[in-house]
């Protein structure tokens, strides 16, 4: 036989030599939940192994991450109070602002990214301010920009808007530039679907909408060309990195976005993906370690260069051990 594909599969050395997808720990971002209060380290029931930390306890996890080489973290805040206008999101002494200041002081080597959204801070749980039953897009833009600015002033190295309002990247870029933060990059959750895979996150952050759903701003999962439209728009508005979210059920979009825009592409393996792997492993239905490796590799194979995952520490360790990478 002249062409024999199996020839390149004999032995680990050769298999690694011809490997098409190579991953590196520097591509990983860990999402962390920081909650108002002290001495808190609460396990999230729907995300076993993941915790809500207070500012004084989060260092434990940050140190573990840094030890295995994960140096980028995405901060999510769980505030002490919520109101109609999500004022905790842009408060000078808000939870994220305090976490950033502390992280910058204690772990200057850590790269600090923040999720910019209102849903954890609004009493109604929507990703912006309301006008009747609808999120008021253009009013929300002002608050998102204000939130992003306050994150940067508190020590964020990068901001990541996840709200899906139209024009938010331009609004954030405009205000950051005006205030002298022209070099702070924006990673836009541009291709973000209305997904049931966010369920455990909403439990973790207490951010489920009090009425209705997010379909008026997040994308319909039947659509693909619309995702390309969102990505192109955000690049035109000044996004430096484009994210696809969720990851696992949307790898076609990762591949398409990679071919469409010429900025780095990130994929976010969300809470529901984490929860499914944990649950399946607990029941003994799947091998947790192998599934984590395969899932991570599939996102990179699809074309992302940046991978956000609650398994960041595990993936880093598996890379060190030569199980993937
Ligand atoms: C905020 C936000 C959400 C997630 C990231 N940022 C929830 C949502 O849109 O409802 C989900 C992350 C996850 O599920 O891991 N808007």
């Amino acid at each position: 036989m002249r062409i024999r594909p199996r020839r390149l599969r004999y032995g680990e050395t050769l298999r690694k030599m011809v490997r098409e997808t190579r991953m590196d720990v520097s591509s990983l971002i860990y999402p962390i939940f920081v909650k108002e209060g002290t001495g808190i380290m609460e396990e999230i029931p729907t995300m076993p192994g993941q915790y809500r930390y207070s500012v004084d306890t989060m260092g434990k996890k940050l140190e573990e991450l840094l030890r295995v080489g994960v140096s980028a973290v995405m901060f999510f805040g769980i505030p002490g109070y919520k109101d109609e206008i999500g004022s905790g999101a842009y408060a000078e002494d808000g939870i994220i602002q305090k976490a950033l200041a502390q992280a910058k002081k204690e772990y200057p080597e850590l790269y600090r990214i923040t999720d910019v959204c209102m849903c954890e801070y609004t009493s109604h749980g929507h990703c912006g301010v309301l006008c009747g039953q609808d999120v008021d897009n253009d009013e929300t833009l002002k608050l998102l920009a204000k939130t992003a600015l306050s994150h940067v002033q508190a020590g964020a190295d990068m901001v990541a808007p996840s709200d899906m309002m139209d024009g938010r990247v331009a609004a954030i870029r405009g205000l950051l530039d005006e205030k002298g933060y022209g070099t702070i990059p924006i990673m836009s959750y541009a291709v973000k679907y209305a997904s049931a895979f966010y369920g455990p996150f909403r439990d973790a952050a207490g951010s489920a909408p009090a009425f209705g759903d997010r379909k008026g701003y997040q994308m319909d999962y039947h659509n693909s060309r619309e995702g390309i439209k969102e990505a192109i728009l955000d690049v035109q508005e000044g996004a430096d990195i484009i994210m696809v979210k969720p990851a696992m059920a949307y790898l076609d979009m990762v591949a398409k976005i990679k071919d469409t825009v010429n900025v780095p592409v990130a994929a976010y393996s969300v809470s529901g993906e984490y929860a499914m792997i944990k649950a399946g492993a607990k029941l003994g239905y799947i091998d947790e370690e192998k599934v984590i490796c395969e899932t991570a590799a599939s996102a990179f194979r699809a074309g992302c260069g940046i991978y956000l995952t609650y398994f960041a520490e595990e993936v880093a360790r598996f890379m060190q051990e030569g199980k993937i990478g």
Side-chain angles (χ1 to χ4, degrees):
M1 222 185 293
R2 207 146 51 90
I3 299 172
R4 197 184 274 280
R6 287 188 57 203
R7 218 178 274 136
L8 291 179
R9 294 179 201 143
Y10 285 95
E12 188 67 5
T13 303
L14 181 56
R15 281 198 294 271
K16 279 194 173 159
M17 189 187 294
V18 300
R19 188 169 274 179
E20 294 176 45
T21 304
R22 297 184 192 270
M23 294 167 275
D24 190 87
V25 69
S26 60
S27 299
L28 301 176
I29 300 174
Y30 177 73
I32 190 166
F33 297 99
V34 188
K35 185 175 171 175
E36 192 67 61
T38 53
I40 300 168
M41 196 181 149
E42 293 168 355
E43 191 167 26
I44 300 160
T46 47
M47 299 176 75
Q50 299 300 311
Y51 296 82
R52 301 184 194 99
Y53 301 93
S54 45
V55 172
D56 59 330
T57 64
M58 68 180 182
K60 183 177 167 332
K61 182 70 187 184
L62 298 178
E63 281 167 25
E64 281 166 15
L65 289 161
L66 289 167
R67 209 172 302 128
V68 292
V70 177
S71 50
V73 168
M74 168 95 90
F75 287 92
F76 288 95
I78 306 168
Y81 67 94
K82 300 178 188 241
D83 59 27
E84 283 280 305
I85 53 170
S87 59
Y90 40 87
E92 217 172 290
D93 63 346
I95 178 62
I96 286 292
Q97 289 78 358
K98 285 189 286 198
L100 287 166
Q102 171 78 4
K104 187 170 181 172
K105 191 169 95 199
E106 297 283 325
Y107 308 98
E109 68 276 41
L110 189 79
Y111 192 81
R112 300 168 299 273
I113 309 170
T114 58
D115 180 85
V116 175
C117 193
M118 321 253 346
C119 63
E120 296 109 294
Y121 305 91
T122 51
S123 43
H124 44 75
H126 279 285
C127 299
V129 285
L130 297 180
C131 178
Q133 297 284 91
D134 188 26
V135 176
D136 186 334
N137 191 94
D138 300 8
E139 277 307 308
T140 299
L141 295 184
K142 296 173 198 157
L143 299 181
L144 291 167
K146 198 169 159 176
T147 301
L149 176 65
S150 86
H151 289 178
V152 172
Q153 285 169 336
D157 297 302
M158 180 191 283
V159 290
S162 70
D163 51 281
M164 287 299 278
M165 296 303 127
D166 294 333
R168 82 276 177 76
V169 173
I172 292 171
R173 185 74 274 154
L175 187 61
L176 292 183
D177 285 2
E178 188 191 314
K179 299 291 182 185
Y181 297 108
T183 58
I184 296 286
I186 299 175
M187 172 161 64
S188 176
Y189 288 69
V191 189
K192 178 172 177 181
Y193 288 88
S195 169
F197 286 100
Y198 308 149
F201 173 95
R202 292 178 189 169
D203 290 341
S207 65
F211 65 88
D213 53 37
R214 302 208 202 290
K215 289 181 182 164
Y217 35 104
Q218 298 179 351
M219 284 197 309
D220 179 348
Y221 55 69
H222 297 85
N223 296 353
S224 152
R225 297 169 68 245
E226 187 187 3
I228 292 170
K229 172 175 153 188
E230 286 282 4
I232 290 174
L233 258 178
D234 281 6
V235 170
Q236 285 168 347
E237 288 181 27
D240 301 280
I241 299 171
I242 292 292
M243 189 202 292
V244 175
K245 177 183 171 200
M248 197 167 60
Y250 297 86
L251 293 182
D252 58 325
M253 293 311 297
V254 173
K256 279 184 189 159
I257 298 301
K258 167 89 179 303
D259 287 343
T260 308
V261 297
N262 58 3
V263 300
V265 176
Y268 191 152
S269 180
V270 301
S271 56
E273 301 177 46
Y274 176 89
M276 287 198 306
I277 293 177
K278 278 290 181 189
K282 189 175 172 200
L283 286 168
Y285 292 172
I286 55 166
D287 179 320
E288 178 169 333
E289 184 175 309
K290 288 182 176 153
V291 171
I292 293 171
C293 290
E294 190 174 332
T295 308
S298 73
F300 288 98
R301 190 187 64 234
C304 77
I306 299 168
Y307 188 50
L308 294 101
T309 173
Y310 299 96
F311 286 121
E313 199 182 319
E314 288 85 343
V315 173
R317 217 170 346 99
F318 299 152
M319 285 174 174
Q320 269 174 6
E321 292 165 4
K323 290 175 177 147
I324 40 165

